[in-house]
Amino acid sequence: MTRTEPAGTPLGDDFHLYDTTLRDGAQREGISYSVADKIAVARHLDELGVGFIEGGWPGAMPKDTEFFARAAAGELPLKHAALVAFGSTRRSGVAAGDDPQVRALLDSQAPVVTLVAKSDIRHIERALRVDVDEACAMVADTVKFLVGEGRRVFLDAEHFFDGYAYDPDTALRVLEAAGSAGADVVVLCDTNGGQLPLGLADTVREVRERTGLRIGIHCQDDTSCAVANSIAAVQAGATHVQCTANGYGERAGNADLFAVTGNLVAKLGMEVLPSGGAAELTRVSHALAEIANIAPDTHQAYVGSSAFAHKAGLHASAIKVDPLLYNHIDPALVGNDMRVLVTEMAGKASLELKGHELGVDLAGNPRALSNTVHKVKDLEAGGWSFEAADASLELLMRREIAGSDGQEPVGPPFALESYRVVLDHRTDGEIVSEATVKVHVAGERVIATAEGNGPVNALDAALRKALSPHLAWLDEMSLSDYKVRILVNRQGTGAVTRVLVESSDREREWTTVGVHENIVEASWLALCDALAHKAMRV
């Protein structure tokens, strides 16, 4: 808790990777961190190796006050990062040491304090309702007081770019007031998120030359340029960059920590994380999304599950020769993987690569490879999709290999005689589904009936009841997710339904697909594939 410099990175204090997920990121609509959540987020960020973790605003937010108290009590030992308390300068007409908000920053015991101050004369005069002299005095007095108390101080110059464009002299006076009083970094904030990279870089360069101060950057994403603006600022001389995990933040969000870091490491060659840290970017991104209770963005740069996914057959043909022909970096650098998506656009190269990914050797069986390509295209034309159903695709591949070699086809560990599902609307208003299955398993004919809260649930229960005495591994397997999509190529009650079933056991998860005009039959097909895939792994 006493360290004020980032540790464990080759760049040390020469460059600051500063995270504000717990303060600015928490302003995103839908996010509400508990104190335990905040501690968990901070631990992940520290393990990743960021230099500074802004924990919140002690004294203004009760949860933030508690967070700093628990951190100071030993619940948050930090290996790489220094903890930062965020707050405002003293109020007008009050000495810094007498301002309760300033005292709360000291009481947090955070070794670093980031102060926010308005740098746009319009905000100074209309929002703070003070003149520029007093605004600068508020900054200088507070910085000097905190530095005198042994704190390292950064200044967030709020609305800087808009203020600098309107009245550059006032914006620079605020920065110089902080720098002359002992602030280590003055952070230029694009608070309204309206800047574009080239203009922002010009301003950063100009401010550096005019002030000689150490410059930081803080960008909002209202123009979808927060990451680009942050990188442009670094290239223009900023040595302190503020980000949030996954770009969480108010309105359109902030600069995404993982995209910014990926660019700094992979494109600018800056070692801003400890050795091996970049390979943890994907894992940490997903872990922090889980804590925020927000689904990971599959198309997020560097760390999204689709960031290195290839769909077109032309891409796959080139990737087969050299993966870097269509990947801008090796995905392993950021802890991600390349995936080949199989759709109606797939050619032989796509399926060959996908087969290799799934452990199926289609390259050694040209006939099966050709048959699989035609089968996939035919099925996709009928509404099937294997992009998110690797288990069904693997079964299809293995069935084609078995067929071309004259082997027993891969299938579920039973033979269906028939199934029936009925809906019972009872007098008390309760609606219950009942399913009966007749199957042949282990040489026996078995009939089983079960109820469920829906037709698919009842069908799954009846099938399990029939198979459980004969399949010891069935109890390990569960249906963990179920998705239905009505395809748009047909209308009304005759529309085609696509069902995705996600299954899991103690070790893994797998997804299967079924398509039919009848939702129950589509579900049945997906369930059968799920069981076949599990049986193949036993």
Side-chain angles (χ1 to χ4, degrees), residues 41 48 56 62 105 119 129 141 149 207 225 227 232 241-242 259-260 272 306-307 340 345 357 385 393 509 525:
V41 168
L48 181 65
L105 294 172
S119 56
R129 297 183 180 180
D141 292 348
E149 293 291 331
V207 170
C225 289
V227 171
V241 59
Q242 297 190 357
V260 168
V272 297
S306 295
V340 177
M345 299 171 67
E357 179 185 322
S385 176
L393 179 61
E509 295 181 345
L525 294 172

mmCIF file of all heavy atoms in Angstrom, residues 41 48 56 62 105 119 129 141 149 207 225 227 232 241-242 259-260 272 306-307 340 345 357 385 393 509 525:
data_model
loop_
_atom_site.group_PDB
_atom_site.id
_atom_site.type_symbol
_atom_site.label_atom_id
_atom_site.label_comp_id
_atom_site.label_asym_id
_atom_site.label_seq_id
_atom_site.Cartn_x
_atom_site.Cartn_y
_atom_site.Cartn_z
ATOM 1 N N VAL A 41 -11.844 -7.116 -8.645
ATOM 2 C CA VAL A 41 -11.384 -6.446 -9.862
ATOM 3 C C VAL A 41 -9.950 -5.957 -9.684
ATOM 4 O O VAL A 41 -9.089 -6.147 -10.557
ATOM 5 C CB VAL A 41 -12.320 -5.265 -10.217
ATOM 6 C CG1 VAL A 41 -11.692 -4.396 -11.303
ATOM 7 C CG2 VAL A 41 -13.672 -5.779 -10.679
ATOM 8 N N LEU A 48 -2.494 -8.694 -13.634
ATOM 9 C CA LEU A 48 -2.162 -8.375 -15.018
ATOM 10 C C LEU A 48 -0.901 -7.536 -15.097
ATOM 11 O O LEU A 48 -0.077 -7.719 -16.006
ATOM 12 C CB LEU A 48 -3.334 -7.636 -15.672
ATOM 13 C CG LEU A 48 -3.165 -7.241 -17.141
ATOM 14 C CD1 LEU A 48 -3.072 -8.484 -18.017
ATOM 15 C CD2 LEU A 48 -4.331 -6.371 -17.588
ATOM 16 N N GLY A 56 -11.523 4.592 -6.527
ATOM 17 C CA GLY A 56 -12.796 5.272 -6.322
ATOM 18 C C GLY A 56 -12.599 6.603 -5.616
ATOM 19 O O GLY A 56 -11.480 7.119 -5.505
ATOM 20 N N PRO A 62 -19.783 5.953 -0.120
ATOM 21 C CA PRO A 62 -19.565 5.059 1.024
ATOM 22 C C PRO A 62 -18.875 3.751 0.661
ATOM 23 O O PRO A 62 -18.001 3.271 1.399
ATOM 24 C CB PRO A 62 -20.987 4.820 1.556
ATOM 25 C CG PRO A 62 -21.744 6.041 1.143
ATOM 26 C CD PRO A 62 -21.183 6.434 -0.190
ATOM 27 N N LEU A 105 -9.286 12.024 1.362
ATOM 28 C CA LEU A 105 -8.270 11.467 0.481
ATOM 29 C C LEU A 105 -7.057 11.004 1.283
ATOM 30 O O LEU A 105 -6.485 9.938 1.012
ATOM 31 C CB LEU A 105 -7.853 12.508 -0.565
ATOM 32 C CG LEU A 105 -8.931 12.915 -1.567
ATOM 33 C CD1 LEU A 105 -8.463 14.096 -2.412
ATOM 34 C CD2 LEU A 105 -9.300 11.738 -2.462
ATOM 35 N N SER A 119 -10.691 22.734 -16.369
ATOM 36 C CA SER A 119 -9.686 23.510 -17.094
ATOM 37 C C SER A 119 -10.296 24.312 -18.237
ATOM 38 O O SER A 119 -9.570 24.933 -19.013
ATOM 39 C CB SER A 119 -8.597 22.579 -17.642
ATOM 40 O OG SER A 119 -9.156 21.559 -18.460
ATOM 41 N N ARG A 129 -18.366 28.685 -10.511
ATOM 42 C CA ARG A 129 -18.741 30.053 -10.144
ATOM 43 C C ARG A 129 -17.635 30.753 -9.363
ATOM 44 O O ARG A 129 -17.862 31.388 -8.333
ATOM 45 C CB ARG A 129 -20.057 30.063 -9.345
ATOM 46 C CG ARG A 129 -21.236 29.549 -10.156
ATOM 47 C CD ARG A 129 -22.536 29.629 -9.372
ATOM 48 N NE ARG A 129 -23.642 29.130 -10.174
ATOM 49 C CZ ARG A 129 -24.905 29.082 -9.762
ATOM 50 N NH1 ARG A 129 -25.225 29.535 -8.555
ATOM 51 N NH2 ARG A 129 -25.844 28.617 -10.554
ATOM 52 N N ASP A 141 -3.161 24.889 -4.134
ATOM 53 C CA ASP A 141 -3.201 24.670 -2.681
ATOM 54 C C ASP A 141 -3.397 23.198 -2.353
ATOM 55 O O ASP A 141 -2.749 22.658 -1.436
ATOM 56 C CB ASP A 141 -4.336 25.488 -2.056
ATOM 57 C CG ASP A 141 -4.095 26.985 -2.122
ATOM 58 O OD1 ASP A 141 -2.962 27.394 -2.439
ATOM 59 O OD2 ASP A 141 -5.053 27.744 -1.859
ATOM 60 N N GLU A 149 1.949 16.078 2.564
ATOM 61 C CA GLU A 149 1.549 14.958 3.414
ATOM 62 C C GLU A 149 2.101 13.634 2.896
ATOM 63 O O GLU A 149 1.710 12.562 3.382
ATOM 64 C CB GLU A 149 0.020 14.884 3.489
ATOM 65 C CG GLU A 149 -0.628 16.047 4.220
ATOM 66 C CD GLU A 149 -0.338 16.022 5.712
ATOM 67 O OE1 GLU A 149 -0.148 14.911 6.259
ATOM 68 O OE2 GLU A 149 -0.273 17.105 6.330
ATOM 69 N N VAL A 207 0.975 21.152 -26.150
ATOM 70 C CA VAL A 207 0.959 21.383 -24.700
ATOM 71 C C VAL A 207 2.274 20.945 -24.071
ATOM 72 O O VAL A 207 2.809 21.615 -23.173
ATOM 73 C CB VAL A 207 -0.241 20.653 -24.056
ATOM 74 C CG1 VAL A 207 -0.144 20.676 -22.535
ATOM 75 C CG2 VAL A 207 -1.548 21.291 -24.511
ATOM 76 N N CYS A 225 -13.449 6.784 -30.876
ATOM 77 C CA CYS A 225 -12.025 7.029 -31.115
ATOM 78 C C CYS A 225 -11.190 6.996 -29.836
ATOM 79 O O CYS A 225 -10.024 7.402 -29.860
ATOM 80 C CB CYS A 225 -11.832 8.379 -31.805
ATOM 81 S SG CYS A 225 -12.378 8.421 -33.522
ATOM 82 N N VAL A 227 -9.710 4.644 -28.084
ATOM 83 C CA VAL A 227 -8.469 3.872 -28.181
ATOM 84 C C VAL A 227 -7.504 4.556 -29.143
ATOM 85 O O VAL A 227 -6.320 4.748 -28.836
ATOM 86 C CB VAL A 227 -8.757 2.423 -28.625
ATOM 87 C CG1 VAL A 227 -7.454 1.683 -28.934
ATOM 88 C CG2 VAL A 227 -9.538 1.678 -27.549
ATOM 89 N N ALA A 232 -2.709 7.797 -30.190
ATOM 90 C CA ALA A 232 -2.178 8.999 -30.832
ATOM 91 C C ALA A 232 -1.509 9.912 -29.810
ATOM 92 O O ALA A 232 -0.462 10.520 -30.083
ATOM 93 C CB ALA A 232 -3.298 9.743 -31.556
ATOM 94 N N VAL A 241 -1.341 6.820 -19.524
ATOM 95 C CA VAL A 241 -2.587 6.615 -20.265
ATOM 96 C C VAL A 241 -3.616 5.967 -19.354
ATOM 97 O O VAL A 241 -3.331 4.960 -18.692
ATOM 98 C CB VAL A 241 -2.366 5.792 -21.550
ATOM 99 C CG1 VAL A 241 -1.781 4.416 -21.261
ATOM 100 C CG2 VAL A 241 -3.638 5.682 -22.378
ATOM 101 N N GLN A 242 -4.793 6.565 -19.274
ATOM 102 C CA GLN A 242 -5.855 6.087 -18.397
ATOM 103 C C GLN A 242 -6.890 5.317 -19.221
ATOM 104 O O GLN A 242 -7.336 5.789 -20.275
ATOM 105 C CB GLN A 242 -6.522 7.255 -17.672
ATOM 106 C CG GLN A 242 -5.566 8.000 -16.753
ATOM 107 C CD GLN A 242 -6.268 8.997 -15.845
ATOM 108 O OE1 GLN A 242 -7.478 9.196 -15.915
ATOM 109 N NE2 GLN A 242 -5.497 9.637 -14.978
ATOM 110 N N ALA A 259 -7.535 -3.145 -25.462
ATOM 111 C CA ALA A 259 -7.175 -2.697 -26.808
ATOM 112 C C ALA A 259 -5.982 -1.751 -26.763
ATOM 113 O O ALA A 259 -5.062 -1.844 -27.594
ATOM 114 C CB ALA A 259 -8.361 -2.032 -27.487
ATOM 115 N N VAL A 260 -5.979 -0.824 -25.820
ATOM 116 C CA VAL A 260 -4.850 0.098 -25.691
ATOM 117 C C VAL A 260 -3.567 -0.671 -25.393
ATOM 118 O O VAL A 260 -2.528 -0.460 -26.036
ATOM 119 C CB VAL A 260 -5.127 1.148 -24.590
ATOM 120 C CG1 VAL A 260 -3.852 1.926 -24.249
ATOM 121 C CG2 VAL A 260 -6.220 2.115 -25.040
ATOM 122 N N VAL A 272 4.791 -2.587 -21.471
ATOM 123 C CA VAL A 272 4.059 -1.902 -20.410
ATOM 124 C C VAL A 272 3.505 -2.872 -19.363
ATOM 125 O O VAL A 272 2.904 -2.440 -18.390
ATOM 126 C CB VAL A 272 2.899 -1.060 -20.993
ATOM 127 C CG1 VAL A 272 3.448 0.030 -21.892
ATOM 128 C CG2 VAL A 272 1.913 -1.934 -21.764
ATOM 129 N N SER A 306 -14.136 -13.605 -31.278
ATOM 130 C CA SER A 306 -14.143 -13.523 -32.737
ATOM 131 C C SER A 306 -13.000 -12.668 -33.288
ATOM 132 O O SER A 306 -12.932 -12.435 -34.497
ATOM 133 C CB SER A 306 -15.477 -12.925 -33.224
ATOM 134 O OG SER A 306 -16.556 -13.776 -32.919
ATOM 135 N N ALA A 307 -12.108 -12.209 -32.418
ATOM 136 C CA ALA A 307 -11.048 -11.304 -32.860
ATOM 137 C C ALA A 307 -10.126 -11.945 -33.890
ATOM 138 O O ALA A 307 -9.547 -11.259 -34.734
ATOM 139 C CB ALA A 307 -10.231 -10.820 -31.656
ATOM 140 N N VAL A 340 -11.467 -21.041 -37.018
ATOM 141 C CA VAL A 340 -12.007 -21.075 -38.372
ATOM 142 C C VAL A 340 -13.493 -21.383 -38.262
ATOM 143 O O VAL A 340 -13.887 -22.387 -37.656
ATOM 144 C CB VAL A 340 -11.304 -22.131 -39.236
ATOM 145 C CG1 VAL A 340 -11.945 -22.197 -40.617
ATOM 146 C CG2 VAL A 340 -9.818 -21.804 -39.364
ATOM 147 N N MET A 345 -20.005 -20.409 -46.648
ATOM 148 C CA MET A 345 -18.873 -19.798 -47.348
ATOM 149 C C MET A 345 -17.621 -20.669 -47.281
ATOM 150 O O MET A 345 -16.610 -20.355 -47.899
ATOM 151 C CB MET A 345 -18.565 -18.424 -46.728
ATOM 152 C CG MET A 345 -19.703 -17.425 -46.814
ATOM 153 S SD MET A 345 -19.387 -15.929 -45.852
ATOM 154 C CE MET A 345 -18.019 -15.243 -46.774
ATOM 155 N N GLU A 357 -8.397 -28.334 -35.879
ATOM 156 C CA GLU A 357 -8.719 -27.708 -34.594
ATOM 157 C C GLU A 357 -9.526 -28.648 -33.700
ATOM 158 O O GLU A 357 -9.341 -28.682 -32.480
ATOM 159 C CB GLU A 357 -9.507 -26.423 -34.853
ATOM 160 C CG GLU A 357 -9.937 -25.665 -33.612
ATOM 161 C CD GLU A 357 -10.821 -24.474 -33.954
ATOM 162 O OE1 GLU A 357 -10.562 -23.800 -34.975
ATOM 163 O OE2 GLU A 357 -11.792 -24.223 -33.205
ATOM 164 N N SER A 385 -26.618 -24.015 -38.992
ATOM 165 C CA SER A 385 -25.445 -23.157 -38.796
ATOM 166 C C SER A 385 -24.506 -23.844 -37.818
ATOM 167 O O SER A 385 -24.925 -24.259 -36.741
ATOM 168 C CB SER A 385 -25.851 -21.788 -38.246
ATOM 169 O OG SER A 385 -24.701 -21.010 -37.975
ATOM 170 N N LEU A 393 -20.631 -30.169 -35.655
ATOM 171 C CA LEU A 393 -19.758 -30.185 -36.825
ATOM 172 C C LEU A 393 -18.757 -31.331 -36.738
ATOM 173 O O LEU A 393 -18.501 -32.027 -37.738
ATOM 174 C CB LEU A 393 -19.024 -28.853 -36.937
ATOM 175 C CG LEU A 393 -18.056 -28.737 -38.118
ATOM 176 C CD1 LEU A 393 -18.798 -28.882 -39.450
ATOM 177 C CD2 LEU A 393 -17.300 -27.419 -38.068
ATOM 178 N N GLU A 509 -17.466 -27.959 -21.939
ATOM 179 C CA GLU A 509 -18.769 -27.594 -22.476
ATOM 180 C C GLU A 509 -18.754 -27.842 -23.976
ATOM 181 O O GLU A 509 -17.710 -27.723 -24.620
ATOM 182 C CB GLU A 509 -19.077 -26.120 -22.210
ATOM 183 C CG GLU A 509 -19.232 -25.766 -20.737
ATOM 184 C CD GLU A 509 -19.547 -24.299 -20.526
ATOM 185 O OE1 GLU A 509 -19.355 -23.514 -21.487
ATOM 186 O OE2 GLU A 509 -19.986 -23.925 -19.429
ATOM 187 N N LEU A 525 -33.031 -33.284 -32.224
ATOM 188 C CA LEU A 525 -31.816 -33.484 -33.015
ATOM 189 C C LEU A 525 -30.590 -32.937 -32.281
ATOM 190 O O LEU A 525 -29.523 -33.568 -32.274
ATOM 191 C CB LEU A 525 -31.967 -32.799 -34.375
ATOM 192 C CG LEU A 525 -33.029 -33.380 -35.315
ATOM 193 C CD1 LEU A 525 -33.208 -32.487 -36.539
ATOM 194 C CD2 LEU A 525 -32.672 -34.802 -35.732
#
